[in-house]
Amino acid sequence: MRRGTTPYIRFHVAQLDVTSVKEIEVTFRQNEDVVVKNGQEVKVDGVHDFGVKLKQSETLKFRANRPVAVQARFIGADDNVIATTIKKIDCDEILNDEVIEDE
């Protein structure tokens, strides 16, 4: 992920049919900076695949050259909540920290 951009982050969960869950929540965290995506912000791309698009202002919250932790949680049809293991995404720098277009 590069700061100040609008990346689409795609996830694959082999053990879960994401088309059958009630809710998906994705949390990105780096130290005290947190971005949470849920509801309409999460796009299901297939039986085991989903993704979220981050805004420029959201990626600018994170510092360069430090990993961003990401984890997804799901509410299943049976109302049980499960979570993925925490993964790390590298965060790259940009030269200009300003948002270049309204979001």
Side-chain angles (χ1 to χ4, degrees):
M1 171 175 40
R2 190 174 307 277
R3 297 179 68 247
T5 64
T6 57
Y8 183 78
I9 310 292
R10 188 170 178 177
F11 301 88
H12 178 81
V13 184
Q15 302 86 0
L16 181 65
D17 177 352
V18 296
T19 63
S20 67
V21 300
K22 290 182 180 179
E23 180 74 27
I24 301 173
E25 176 185 88
V26 181
T27 303
F28 297 86
R29 181 177 180 183
Q30 185 188 65
N31 299 325
E32 305 307 314
D33 296 310
V34 177
V35 173
V36 177
K37 297 292 199 175
N38 54 34
Q40 302 261 330
E41 297 175 302
V42 180
K43 180 182 177 212
V44 174
D45 293 330
V47 175
H48 303 287
D49 301 301
F50 64 96
V52 296
K53 184 174 180 177
L54 296 173
K55 298 176 183 176
Q56 292 176 72
S57 58
E58 292 170 332
T59 59
L60 285 169
K61 288 182 177 184
F62 303 127
R63 300 183 89 183
N65 304 316
R66 295 184 184 172
V68 176
V70 61
Q71 183 178 47
R73 295 190 313 158
F74 310 89
I75 299 175
D78 56 4
D79 289 329
N80 285 334
V81 177
I82 58 173
T84 64
T85 57
I86 297 170
K87 300 292 184 179
K88 304 285 182 159
I89 298 175
D90 291 331
C91 188
D92 296 328
E93 185 59 90
I94 59 170
L95 295 177
N96 185 342
D97 278 358
E98 295 180 27
V99 174
I100 60 173
E101 184 177 309
D102 286 338
E103 301 179 56

